[in-house]
Amino acid sequence: MTLARVSRRWHSATLPFLYEEVSFRHPTQVRSFASTLRTHPNICRLVRKIVVDCPATKEIRDLVVGDLIYILTQCTELRALAFTDSLFAMEDDLRRVALYAFPTALTAAIRALSRTLVRFEQWPQGGTPHFTWPIACVSTAPLLTTLTINIDHDESLKSVELAALEELDISCQYVVPRGSDHSQRFANWRLPRLKRLIMPMAIDNQGRLLQQFGRSITYLEFRDHLDMATRWHKTPWRPYVDYIHLCPILQHLVFQEYDTSVLDLLPSHPTLTYVDIWFNSPAGHIRQDFLERCRQRRSASDLRWNVRLLDRSLNAVRQLPELFPPGVPEEELPSIHAIPGLSITHTAWGVYRSDLDILYPPEDSLEEAVSENSSSDSDSTYSSESDPSEDDSVTESEGEMLEEDEIAALASI
């Protein structure tokens, strides 16, 4: 905003950064932005990502949806679109969903973006897994590479072919045995380029899904957001032990556990290189025991993979295992990264909140022993530098859409 006021040249240079990502956290922001686009349509071409996370009361919901449809039809260069269930939820404390019919006009507006859309995300609110998105929204997007979606039984039965899709995340969908047959879920999906698959722990068709898609999978993650696996199954439920043989070129496996001894149960695999375990607070004696065990197994040449512990308190950071890749050269570790509201330490043995080092200081001798034996494989896409100030996204707080009157005036310069 400050740079945009310097001059006409600076205004034209900074405006694309202001509108590259637009987030709606309140209904008034949707209305305000739609009004801005009607007055200054040249802004439409600048928007690359839209995040919709705004609950709306029944009285104004139709108006908000109408403005949202207008925005989506005007932003024809959109690359990424993300939704939560807030817009489709009741306004009570229970946050019950699926109580409003999904607008067919909104489906059509999203589908019209298929020419440019490469990423679509739909994140259910916590504890509300029953809201179903119509897969028709994105089923015709030829450029779509990343899809995160929560779809129930009927929608998953439909025929879908996404030729460019490389990542599918269905980890927020929990389908436990309910007396009906779910064996045909996703059976009619064709995903020839799928490489990364993230699924929940507590579903009843993991083996069939991996039989269908596993041959091309290089990254496989089992997430247990709500600790559903322990509630669903009285005995230990370990699909990462039973099914990784269905992924012959798997390189990176991620799962949640409470005991690192599960590593002894993992079968040998010809290509598996990295194993990450979501673990409760990897600090104190847990850290020291893990490092000592790794040291002993490396001395005995019995450690088959590079193993790390991931701090479960960081579970909400999407794609954490890839954001902090396990193949970082040892001279770049440990590293401390700042992202909004968090300070994260990335070491050869784990990724965790930096404050754990203050509460439970590490023993340097063990850390160094493991670091000396860590993999030196490089990752050309990784940068050890992180500057939280370099955030050009438009994510203003409730009711403040970047001082719309000022931006509208600037846009007319």
Side-chain angles (χ1 to χ4, degrees):
M1 283 290 294
T2 302
L3 296 177
R5 297 188 182 102
V6 174
S7 66
R8 293 185 180 183
R9 178 179 294 181
W10 281 65
H11 171 264
S12 62
T14 55
L15 202 63
F17 294 101
L18 288 173
Y19 285 101
E20 182 178 12
E21 179 177 329
V22 179
S23 296
F24 300 122
R25 309 295 181 184
H26 192 274
T28 57
Q29 294 177 317
V30 181
R31 304 229 68 191
S32 178
F33 192 65
S35 176
T36 297
L37 295 187
R38 290 185 176 98
T39 308
H40 305 282
N42 59 308
I43 292 177
C44 298
R45 61 182 176 80
L46 304 178
V47 182
R48 295 294 183 269
K49 179 177 181 178
I50 291 179
V51 178
V52 183
D53 183 23
C54 55
T57 60
K58 180 171 61 176
E59 292 76 14
I60 64 170
R61 181 174 178 272
D62 289 342
L63 294 175
V64 174
V65 170
D67 284 332
L68 181 60
I69 291 172
Y70 173 77
I71 292 169
L72 294 179
T73 56
Q74 297 303 305
C75 297
T76 55
E77 299 299 320
L78 201 64
R79 300 287 189 271
L81 180 60
F83 278 86
T84 70
D85 290 344
S86 295
L87 185 59
F88 312 98
M90 279 189 66
E91 56 273 17
D92 61 15
D93 294 335
L94 298 179
R95 298 299 300 247
R96 291 172 291 183
V97 296
L99 299 178
Y100 296 118
F102 193 88
T104 55
L106 183 56
T107 301
I110 298 174
R111 192 166 189 170
L113 295 168
S114 62
R115 182 182 64 85
T116 61
L117 204 62
V118 297
R119 188 181 193 97
F120 182 82
E121 303 177 21
Q122 184 259 321
W123 297 108
Q125 300 296 315
T128 58
H130 304 299
F131 183 81
T132 297
W133 269 81
I135 192 61
C137 285
V138 293
S139 60
T140 58
L143 302 180
L144 196 70
T145 59
T146 302
L147 174 62
T148 299
I149 196 166
N150 179 36
I151 55 178
D152 213 341
H153 185 47
D154 291 341
E155 284 292 318
S156 64
L157 292 176
K158 294 182 177 179
S159 179
V160 176
E161 182 169 358
L162 296 169
L165 194 73
E166 296 183 358
E167 179 175 311
L168 175 63
D169 187 337
I170 56 171
S171 61
C172 288
Q173 174 68 48
Y174 285 91
V175 180
V176 298
R178 295 180 296 192
S180 57
D181 182 18
H182 297 279
S183 62
Q184 296 304 308
R185 288 171 57 84
F186 305 101
N188 297 317
W189 285 43
R190 301 293 177 264
L191 311 174
R193 297 187 61 183
L194 189 66
K195 297 179 181 178
R196 298 181 297 276
L197 179 61
I198 302 97
M199 61 173 59
M201 289 278 288
I203 58 175
D204 54 359
N205 58 350
Q206 293 153 326
R208 194 197 57 74
L209 279 175
L210 291 176
Q211 283 181 334
Q212 183 174 356
F213 302 124
R215 287 185 297 276
S216 61
I217 297 297
T218 59
Y219 176 91
L220 177 63
E221 180 172 359
F222 295 93
R223 276 185 168 261
D224 201 11
H225 299 287
L226 305 177
D227 290 324
M228 288 290 291
T230 54
R231 307 179 200 178
W232 176 38
H233 210 279
K234 294 182 179 179
T235 59
W237 183 250
R238 290 168 175 161
Y240 39 85
V241 173
D242 298 332
Y243 299 128
I244 62 172
H245 69 280
L246 298 174
C247 306
I249 62 172
L250 182 65
Q251 298 175 8
H252 193 174
L253 175 66
V254 186
F255 56 88
Q256 176 180 316
E257 256 296 344
Y258 300 93
D259 187 352
T260 57
S261 64
V262 71
L263 293 169
D264 298 329
L265 303 177
L266 288 179
S268 59
H269 192 284
T271 61
L272 185 60
T273 307
Y274 306 111
V275 175
D276 285 339
I277 305 176
W278 290 104
F279 212 82
N280 287 325
S281 190
H285 72 277
I286 295 175
R287 173 195 304 186
Q288 303 308 328
D289 290 348
F290 176 73
L291 291 173
E292 175 62 24
R293 187 176 184 187
C294 287
R295 186 188 65 79
Q296 293 174 357
R297 298 189 69 170
R298 286 187 186 280
S299 299
S301 300
D302 189 36
L303 193 58
R304 292 170 284 177
W305 319 283
N306 288 46
V307 184
R308 298 187 304 178
L309 301 182
L310 307 179
D311 190 346
R312 279 197 63 194
S313 67
L314 301 175
N315 190 267
V317 181
R318 308 305 307 178
Q319 299 177 318
L320 184 82
E322 294 179 290
L323 185 62
F324 301 95
V328 178
E330 61 180 275
E331 61 267 18
E332 296 184 19
L333 294 172
S335 300
I336 296 179
H337 304 261
I339 64 175
L342 291 170
S343 178
I344 298 176
T345 299
H346 179 193
T347 70
W349 69 270
V351 180
Y352 56 94
R353 299 185 334 273
S354 299
D355 61 322
L356 292 182
D357 282 337
I358 300 175
L359 297 173
Y360 306 96
E363 294 182 11
D364 294 336
S365 59
L366 284 175
E367 292 259 15
E368 292 173 0
V370 173
S371 179
E372 289 174 0
N373 291 281
S374 64
S375 171
S376 61
D377 296 339
S378 63
D379 187 338
S380 60
T381 64
Y382 173 76
S383 172
S384 61
E385 298 180 359
S386 177
D387 186 352
S389 66
E390 295 180 358
D391 184 359
D392 299 316
S393 60
V394 180
T395 55
E396 292 299 302
S397 59
E398 180 176 310
E400 296 178 352
M401 200 58 189
L402 279 182
E403 303 180 34
E404 289 296 337
D405 293 339
E406 296 187 44
I407 288 295
L410 285 169
S412 62
I413 296 177

